[in-house]
Amino acid sequence: AVVSTQSGHYGRGEFAVLFRNNHFSTITKHDNMVYVLVTDIGWAEEDQVIWETLDSTCNSTSFVNGHFKISEAPSGDAIYSTVDNDEEYALSLELQVSKEEQLEQQRLWDEA
């Protein structure tokens, strides 16, 4: 990954802000590798996932802990799957409540 700053220098242990995929991200450099601070809610409960490598544009990244060691956390797919399932469940509940409200309104209309 190429990191360009106004000063032209980006050193080890320094932090910077990267604008990518319509989001601002905090980045740092460690052992000649650029890392992005993990802020996705899907990783909130994983204390061993702090940074994500920024070494590829093909979504092939690694997650590391605060000491920049490969994380022993479950794969990202497992985390995102849980988040997706929770979102789908919430949406289905919302649709069910909405349908029940419509049926109740129709019943009241029919009785009037």
Side-chain angles (χ1 to χ4, degrees):
V2 176
V3 178
S4 175
T5 63
Q6 277 187 323
S7 67
H9 296 87
Y10 181 69
R12 179 179 184 227
E14 293 180 350
F15 297 96
V17 175
L18 173 70
F19 187 75
R20 178 180 79 149
N21 297 336
N22 212 25
H23 295 283
F24 288 100
S25 299
T26 301
I27 61 173
T28 192
K29 188 175 182 181
H30 181 79
D31 291 339
N32 291 322
M33 179 71 73
V34 178
Y35 294 91
V36 178
L37 183 65
V38 175
T39 58
D40 190 295
I41 191 69
W43 294 103
E45 300 298 320
E46 294 296 330
D47 61 351
Q48 291 299 307
V49 174
I50 307 296
W51 298 99
E52 176 182 5
T53 58
L54 183 62
D55 58 353
S56 173
T57 56
C58 301
N59 294 329
S60 173
T61 60
S62 299
F63 294 97
V64 298
N65 63 22
H67 301 287
F68 299 96
K69 303 292 182 206
I70 297 293
S71 173
E72 299 296 325
S75 73
D77 292 340
I79 298 294
Y80 290 117
S81 174
T82 301
V83 171
D84 288 343
N85 288 340
D86 290 347
E87 289 174 0
E88 289 174 8
Y89 178 70
L91 178 60
S92 65
L93 281 178
E94 183 180 335
L95 291 172
Q96 181 180 356
V97 168
S98 176
K99 183 65 174 174
E100 289 172 355
E101 288 173 351
Q102 287 176 350
L103 290 172
E104 180 64 17
Q105 287 177 356
Q106 184 63 41
R107 185 186 67 76
L108 292 172
W109 179 259
D110 289 344
E111 288 178 358

